[in-house]
């Protein structure tokens, strides 16, 4: 089977607002929702997406506002989704810095988290479209060309991460 015949791998998936039930969920239900949503984007089958320990650690580090009666609201799920997207790039302390004002705004009801998140989803969709339009994967047999692309993508990733870290540092000031 040639590369052109293979199904395109899914590089990105987001937890859409329509994926989130209008009822509060227990932790096991949250984990199941994230497993179903993000399993197609994992590198290896069976890769861990979200665990009870992870959620408990996020709560202990105050990455999201406290849960009531062991149930997670739609706002909690949105924040956990953002944490999931950020954790591959940033430290827990950076994520806390990124989300502190958002959490404060949600608890004081000065921020409409669903509207904020929808803007984020629209941006990620546009980013994915731009990325796919620019991406030309080399033939599998050209190892050196693949290596050049890997190095180039890693470099671009580092540039974007460093730019984001500078913005995080501004949030801390």
């Amino acid at each position: 089977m040639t590369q052109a015949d293979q199904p395109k791998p899914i590089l990105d998936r987001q937890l859409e607002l329509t994926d989130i039930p209008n009822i509060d969920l227990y932790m096991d239900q949250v984990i199941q929702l994230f497993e179903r949503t993000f399993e197609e984007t994992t590198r290896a089958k069976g890769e861990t997406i979200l665990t009870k320990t992870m959620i408990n650690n996020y709560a202990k580090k105050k990455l999201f506002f406290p849960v009531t009666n062991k149930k997670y609201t739609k706002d909690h799920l949105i924040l956990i989704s953002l944490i999931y997207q950020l954790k591959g790039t940033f430290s827990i302390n950076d994520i806390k810095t990124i989300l502190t004002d958002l959490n404060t705004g949600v608890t004081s009801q000065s921020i409409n988290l669903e509207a904020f998140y929808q803007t984020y989803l629209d941006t990620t969709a546009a980013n994915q479209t731009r990325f796919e339009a620019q991406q030309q994967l080399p033939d599998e047999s050209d190892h050196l060309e693949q290596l050049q692309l890997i190095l180039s993508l890693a470099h671009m990733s580092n540039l974007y991460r460093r730019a984001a870290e500078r913005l995080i540092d501004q949030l801390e000031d």
Side-chain angles (χ1 to χ4, degrees):
M1 181 183 293
T2 68
Q3 186 173 1
D5 297 333
Q6 294 177 358
K8 224 175 169 184
I10 295 176
L11 298 177
D12 189 43
R13 172 81 166 88
Q14 298 295 328
L15 182 66
E16 299 289 336
L17 289 170
T18 56
D19 296 335
I20 303 173
N22 288 323
I23 58 169
D24 296 346
L25 301 178
Y26 289 105
M27 187 180 298
D28 287 339
Q29 294 168 311
V30 172
I31 292 168
Q32 288 173 356
L33 176 63
F34 276 75
E35 291 287 330
R36 280 193 316 269
T37 301
F38 296 107
E39 69 184 340
E40 297 175 305
T41 63
T42 59
R43 189 169 179 188
K45 191 167 180 68
E47 189 175 309
T48 301
I49 293 168
L50 191 63
T51 65
K52 289 179 182 184
T53 302
M54 293 163 108
I55 294 172
N56 287 330
N57 286 338
Y58 301 158
K60 283 179 194 168
K61 294 284 188 176
K62 299 185 187 314
L63 299 185
F64 53 82
F65 59 93
V67 204
T68 306
N69 297 324
K70 298 183 180 184
K71 287 189 173 183
Y72 295 81
T73 64
K74 192 172 207 172
D75 286 346
H76 285 111
L77 296 178
I78 289 170
L79 289 165
I80 293 170
S81 179
L82 293 173
I83 294 165
Y84 177 78
Q85 296 300 327
L86 293 167
K87 73 178 183 157
T89 307
F90 300 111
S91 69
I92 292 293
N93 288 336
D94 281 347
I95 295 170
K96 183 175 182 176
T97 299
I98 293 165
L99 297 179
T100 294
D101 287 345
L102 199 56
N103 272 296
T104 302
V106 170
T107 54
S108 70
Q109 298 181 342
S110 64
I111 292 178
N112 178 338
L113 188 57
E114 285 187 44
F116 173 86
Y117 189 68
Q118 187 57 58
T119 301
Y120 161 77
L121 292 174
D122 295 343
T123 302
T124 61
N127 289 345
Q128 185 168 349
T129 299
R130 255 191 321 275
F131 176 81
E132 289 172 353
Q134 294 172 352
Q135 220 36 70
Q136 185 62 35
L137 296 179
D139 188 297
E140 289 178 10
S141 63
D142 193 338
H143 180 75
L144 291 178
E145 195 175 340
Q146 283 183 329
L147 180 56
Q148 285 293 343
L149 182 57
I150 291 166
L151 293 169
S152 174
L153 291 171
H155 178 253
M156 291 300 293
S157 173
N158 287 330
L159 291 173
Y160 284 118
R161 180 184 42 79
R162 287 183 192 122
E165 286 171 346
R166 287 190 180 144
L167 292 171
I168 293 168
D169 293 343
Q170 290 174 10
L171 288 175
E172 290 179 325
D173 293 339

